[in-house]
Amino acid sequence: MRRLYLGLDSSTQSLTAIAIEVDGETARIACEMSLAFDEALPQYGTRHGVLPSADPAVAASSPPMWADAVDLMFDRLRQSGLDRSRLAAVSGSAQQHGSVYLLPGAAAGFGAMEPSTPPGEQIASRLARRVAPIWMDASTTSQCDEISAAVGGAGALAARTGSRAFERFTGPQIRKFAQTDSESYARTGRVHLISSFLASLLIGDDAPVDPGDASGMNLMDLESRSWWPDAVDATAPGLAPKLPVIVPSWTIAGTLSRYWQTRYGLPAVPVITWSGDNPCSLVGVGLVREGRVAISLGTSDTIFGLMRAPRVDLRGTGHVFGSPTGDYMGLTCFSNGSLARERIRDTYGMTWRDFSRALEDTPAGNGGRVLLPWFEPEITPPVATPGVHRYRLSSDDGPGNVRGVIEAQQMSLALHSRWMSVTVDTILATGGAAANTPILQVMADVFGADVYRSTVTNSAALGAALRAWHGDALARGAALPWEAVVGGLEQPAQTHVVPDRARHGLYRELIPIYEQCERHALHGGEDPTGALETFAARN
């Protein structure tokens, strides 16, 4: 029988479902649909999935809304005609770092809900905290500093948990709640991540959390894949018993509860432990070996890939998460992505076609001219005060600034992902700017790697569906290697861009000078002008 595996992804703004149909070791997407929280559930009053706040640093959302979104999605799947009798397993993905606070025994009550009534109103009374802070919240700077100091500094925290303390991470958010509402914190029986909360909703019991999502909390020891007592104790009093257990990503969390079986006629199938959207996306785009990375060219630019060992960026810009494969994933994010590209395009009155032509008509290396396009505060490298810096490059030179912004972004991606210690041979390019082939050519030349334009759109939901397949296969004694899982998915042909070896050699010479430009702009290091002049003379 051809089995169906369902993957759900609860992102900031929407819920997406992907069902894959598996025949032997071959899979195809059988169904794909999404619903936007604001439009589908307007009664919760969110804007782009976030509750309005007078404080721009505060960002929270509604757990009952997420529950009702799952309910509405199951209803739409029923109406789609999907053969639910062939459903074999479910798994899921959720935006990382968000936290949900339940009263003692609340999750066990999820399975006893009244099937004739939507879940949102039934779980509201089981919450110790009405709202859930999400990854966009930036209001915990003091808590980050306090946790870091308690464990021996930012470097010590990064070395053990994979990241320095970040405002959006769950540990600092828990600490803030314990400090500002100690009574409600004391009444909390379980602190769930959004992923484990939604898995708990499906199984009617407390679900575990996997290392991929637990590692986004500043609380998990990367090596042991267990809660690090020093970080837990530094975060809030009595926190340890409130946290879910950490289990391997392929663990069966439980069975779809009678509530969902009765309400939608669903079979009693296993629910594979949910994970975060970044780890699920890693699987969704097929990154299951070292050397294969993804670069997302969106509002922000991000590079991520699998690592066999948990190598950590002690400078504090990169992140290490657990991978659903049992390995690790490295991730580095850059704020000035599409914004910087659009700023250059608009400054010189170009269309995107003009932009592409200018990029193609200027030489690799830009004649030893460098642009540092920090139009907004930057995450990588840390730039608190935005500012654009030009070396040997005139602000009047439109084509030169076009190549300058693209080369700077690609060299920065290469430079600031070196901490992963991965030799990149293949890149999957995603995001809006991945449609621009000249940009992909610069990417290929800088990295010296083949670049493929990814055809995957909802990678986190797809990764969740693939994880459901993988976990169910293991439970049935039919162990599938991850290469077979991701390789068995039918996908359309991808655009392939091949690096030019001569240009790659040129960029290997230029990247150290680009790094010198960053040091000069940020720390008053040696002026790189002379090195750029020498580079230009040689090339």
Side-chain angles (χ1 to χ4, degrees), residues 63-377:
M65 180 184 73
W66 295 327
D68 278 344
V70 172
D71 180 62
L72 185 55
M73 181 60 74
F74 277 132
D75 186 47
R76 292 186 180 184
L77 287 169
R78 176 176 59 184
Q79 294 178 36
S80 74
L82 189 72
D83 185 358
R84 290 159 290 156
S85 68
R86 293 192 291 123
L87 185 64
V90 179
S91 191
S93 156
Q95 56 172 305
Q96 288 201 257
H97 316 305
S99 45
V100 180
Y101 302 78
L102 301 181
L103 294 171
F110 290 168
M113 293 187 298
E114 171 53 51
S116 63
T117 306
E121 62 186 78
Q122 298 191 71
I123 71 166
S125 62
R126 295 179 167 94
L127 296 172
R129 184 180 188 180
R130 185 181 62 84
V131 301
I134 62 172
W135 70 273
M136 298 168 64
D137 191 288
S139 65
T140 60
T141 300
S142 62
Q143 288 79 19
C144 289
D145 293 342
E146 291 161 1
I147 292 172
S148 295
V151 301
L157 187 65
R160 292 298 290 267
T161 71
S163 301
R164 65 175 173 84
F166 277 86
E167 283 82 357
R168 63 183 182 273
F169 275 34
T170 322
Q173 293 292 339
I174 294 171
R175 181 170 180 79
K176 179 185 175 184
F177 180 52
Q179 290 176 335
T180 59
D181 191 352
S182 58
E183 182 178 342
S184 295
Y185 172 77
R187 292 190 300 118
T188 299
R190 177 72 73 223
V191 180
H192 273 298
L193 295 178
I194 301 170
S195 62
S196 59
F197 161 69
L198 291 174
S200 300
L201 182 72
L202 293 185
I203 67 174
D205 203 352
D206 272 311
V209 64
D210 89 315
D213 218 2
S215 52
M217 298 176 71
N218 282 137
L219 293 175
M220 189 190 84
D221 184 294
L222 287 174
E223 292 281 359
S224 67
R225 295 172 181 254
S226 60
W227 301 120
W228 181 30
D230 289 7
V232 172
D233 292 344
T235 297
L239 176 58
K242 300 178 189 289
L243 296 173
V245 297
I246 303 174
V247 299
S249 296
W250 47 84
T251 301
I252 294 177
T255 301
L256 205 59
S257 76
R258 189 166 299 279
Y259 173 83
W260 300 105
Q261 294 177 46
T262 303
R263 188 165 170 80
Y264 291 110
L266 294 166
V269 298
V271 176
I272 308 301
T273 300
W274 284 39
S275 189
D277 52 1
N278 288 307
C280 284
S281 290
L282 186 83
V283 172
V285 296
L287 304 184
V288 296
R289 66 167 177 84
E290 278 199 348
R292 188 178 173 93
V293 304
I295 293 178
S296 174
L297 301 176
T299 303
S300 58
D301 288 349
T302 306
I303 181 169
F304 60 96
L306 183 136
M307 302 187 300
R308 295 296 179 197
R311 298 177 288 269
V312 174
D313 181 10
L314 296 180
R315 296 171 302 176
T317 55
H319 306 282
V320 181
F321 300 129
S323 163
T325 63
D327 304 295
Y328 299 88
M329 68 174 291
L331 181 150
T332 307
C333 184
F334 304 79
S335 300
N336 284 272
S338 62
L339 173 68
R341 293 184 286 271
E342 291 168 3
R343 189 73 65 89
I344 292 295
R345 179 202 62 183
D346 295 344
T347 296
Y348 300 100
M350 296 180 177
T351 64
W352 282 122
R353 179 171 295 185
D354 297 332
F355 188 97
S356 298
R357 189 177 300 114
L359 185 56
E360 291 179 302
D361 290 345
T362 46
N366 212 17
R369 299 174 297 171
V370 168
L371 172 69
L372 301 182
W374 299 325
F375 291 96
E376 295 291 334

Side-chain angles (χ1 to χ4, degrees), residues 377-408:
E378 182 55 74
I379 298 173
T380 309
V383 180
T385 303
V388 175
H389 302 264
R390 292 179 173 86
Y391 295 89
R392 302 188 68 249
L393 176 63
S394 169
S395 60
D396 296 328
D397 182 354
N401 278 267
V402 167
R403 179 158 283 274
V405 69
I406 299 304
E407 288 190 338

Side-chain angles (χ1 to χ4, degrees), residues 48-65:
H48 308 293
V50 184
L51 293 167
S53 171
D55 185 346
V58 171
S61 193
S62 169
M65 180 184 73

